[in-house]
Amino acid sequence: MQQISLIKVAKSFGATLALREASFTAYRGEVVAICGENGAGKSTLMSILAGSRMPTLGHIEINGKTVLITSPHDAFDRGIRTVYQELSLLPDLSVAENLFLGELPVNGWGRIDWATLWADAGTEMVALGMPEIDVRRPAGDYPVAVQQMFEIAKAIRNKPELLILDEPTGVLTQRETDLLFAKIAELKAAGTIIFYISHRMEEVLEISDRVVVLKDGRSVDEAPADMMTHDRIIQSMVGRPLEKIYPPRVRDHGPVRMSVQGLRAPGVHDVSFDLKAGEILGFCGLVGSGRSEVMRAIFGADPRQGGDVVIDGVPLNAPTPKRAMAAGLGFVTEERKVDGLALDADVLDNAGLASMSRISRGPVLNRRAQRDMVFRQVQKLDLRPLELSYILRRMSGGNQQKVILAKWLLMQGLKVLILDEPTRGVDIATKVEIYRLIADLAAQGMGILLISSEMPEILGLAHRLCVMNSGRIVAEMVPEETNEHEIFVAAATVERPAA
Amino acid sequence: MTEQTLSQPQKEQRPPMSRAAKANILFGVGVVVLIIVTALMQEVFLTERNMVNVARQMVTTGLLSIGMYVVIRSGGIDLSVGSTVAFAGLLAAGLQETMPVGAAIAIALSVGVVVGLINGVLIAYMRLQPFIVTLAMMGAVRGALFIYSETPTYATDKFFLKTLGAGKIFGVVPVTFAIFLACIPVVWFFMNHTRSGRSIMAIGMNPETVRLAGVNVRAQTTLAYVICGFFAALAGVLLAARLGISQPSVGVAYELDAIAAVVIGGGILGGGGGTVGGMFGGVIALALIDNVLNLFNVQSYYQQIVKGVIILIAVLLRRKPDS
């Protein structure tokens, strides 16, 4: 493939225009980064190139000739390979079978030639820089990061003409990311065109030759990577200059709202802290440091092994989610699709789930009162579409998150709100709205526990922050007096065994 | 892959009709066409006698479908309802020799509740799979019944036979059918307008979300099976009253008709779909099809084929479009 061009490609789903006008060209051996917010049309664009969808308007040219990529099979035959964000491995099959699925080597009798399979798969893993992998073991035995590398290995096995990588590093650790980047350089030298989709600006600027920015389904900005800057990409993505993202910090704290003493749970060792009324307390730490586990243990989502939690003077021991709620706790969980939402239910049922007792007489629910109450709340949060019967699965991440926030804000007697990654997978405009909301809630006297993997978020919002490492709070800091580096050092330093 | 609605104003536009709604309309039209065609070709069809017959025959499947609907919405399934039908029928018919008929019926109904409770506890508290638990329960109850009585038990009570079994309100509507009809709005109200009902619906879609929203998911799940057991027992009592006789072999494979009715009405195994109205429509459709095929003297083997095809059509119509 010498070059591939998208010419005014558009795609609509019913009345929804997912892609309006995407035009750009990529040349042999080039890495083109595609940036854009959620909903900007990246996924749609990718699915058109991968053959799973046909463009409504516009067309694609390969080497100057108009082509129709009619099916995923067709895309495959043209040498187009895609690595999706979601894993598509069969966890119970061996690594080798996953790599060669559909093309398993067979002998003359049609029997699978296992020896060849193991050897070939082993070679692939060595070529990727992971010789330690036992290709005969089930793929599911390996951590997610390694599984993602299997996906990549599968895609690049036959040296594709065009490789599409959708957020490939989302789950990778530094080591695998380095291996991936080395492989990308190798493929590039061999002439493969690579479309690299990512949220991570640093990565995009490091790996790509050119950056294309999508906004509202249009390609709005394009430049060689060395002429692009972090700010320019964001500005093009959002479509307006970056004003103040974080609301002003107001430290007007009341008395202690929640006190946690000596909390112990699986992955949590002796955690103690106080949270004042009106305070936003941030929790930093690497994945697996115990941040989420602390919150789940406080709320009673997972059992505790010890420790005391007191909210407004009332102890909350032997907690269940029900008791925690009665004590005034709300909990926005880390993975909204796993345990935050019923994706096939509508806005009303999702947002009304934690407040049914407020509008019930005995066991009977007043559906009209529920409708009114939920509507007012989601209207306040500027939900779009503002439609109570809308099914959550069809909403964007930002709007799904608003529905979850509405659910907890409607809870009776909310005193402390736990927010675990409240802006993950949320577009920038909604992020800003959520930041405002958090600040407003604190200003009204609520206590906020905020977990985020995005350090700027914690540094911009929190009044105080705790750094967790191996299940313990290892440092307490004031955001204005610290920086990402200092936090990272505290979070990543390996603890010496206690003397 | 989610597609976000871009900043296109679409306030004026009514949302397009859902696939489920379209399927319901198609099904409704199909049933009406069936009725018209049959009425034109078979004079017997629209006679009072035949209609009373259809009404009576849908009671058992209907009551079982009510319970099955609740359980399926909770994300489960109950295969033991057919055995419960026989159990409750035997008790109601057999116990009336020795005690007032009201007490016999009460005991029969409470047996359904107990079976449901056991199912529910094993599923919700012991975290066993609903299919397996209720499959085991189906076999165990059935076996126990054959040990208890190999011969049929005849009902003798006058109220039981004449009023409950054979009685008609205003001389037209069979009492059993009236009871079934009365249960429909009750279940509709329960599922749509009580905290329990909404919780059960949500549990079928994501139990963890519901648990973290402070709902006692185990208790609510158990309740779904208890309700199902109760309606199965009620079906058993009314069937014994209509037939005047009960035997341990009654109700074999009845659970399949109930599941079929729920699925035809839009229910999804595993939770997340179907309405009470749809389920009711499914019950009516199945009963009409049975009756029509009988009137045309179609052999029962062919009847089974036709039913199978209809279930598949129902599921195909409601299939989620490929994304």
Side-chain angles (χ1 to χ4, degrees), chain A residues 114-129:
Chain A
W114 294 103
T116 307
L117 177 62
W118 303 142
D120 289 356
T123 313
E124 294 293 337
M125 294 318 296
V126 172
L128 201 56

Side-chain angles (χ1 to χ4, degrees), chain A residues 15-18 38-39 44 53 299 301 321-322 325 338-341 345 349 356 360 362-363 365 367 396 408, chain B residues 1-8 10 13 189 192-195 198-199 202 205-206 208-214 323:
Chain A
T16 308
L17 279 161
N38 295 309
T44 310
R53 291 195 172 109
F299 190 70
K322 199 173 174 171
M325 285 163 65
V338 175
D339 53 20
L341 291 169
D349 278 340
M356 287 198 281
S360 299
L365 189 65
R367 286 283 267 177
S396 67
W408 292 110
Chain B
M1 258 174 270
T2 53
E3 304 299 343
Q4 196 186 25
T5 312
L6 299 176
S7 53
Q8 275 240 322
Q10 2 175 254
Q13 241 170 324
F189 184 85
N192 294 293
H193 290 273
T194 67
R195 282 153 69 182
R198 295 320 291 173
S199 300
M205 295 189 264
N206 190 341
E208 186 60 11
T209 302
V210 183
R211 185 177 78 95
L212 294 180
S323 53

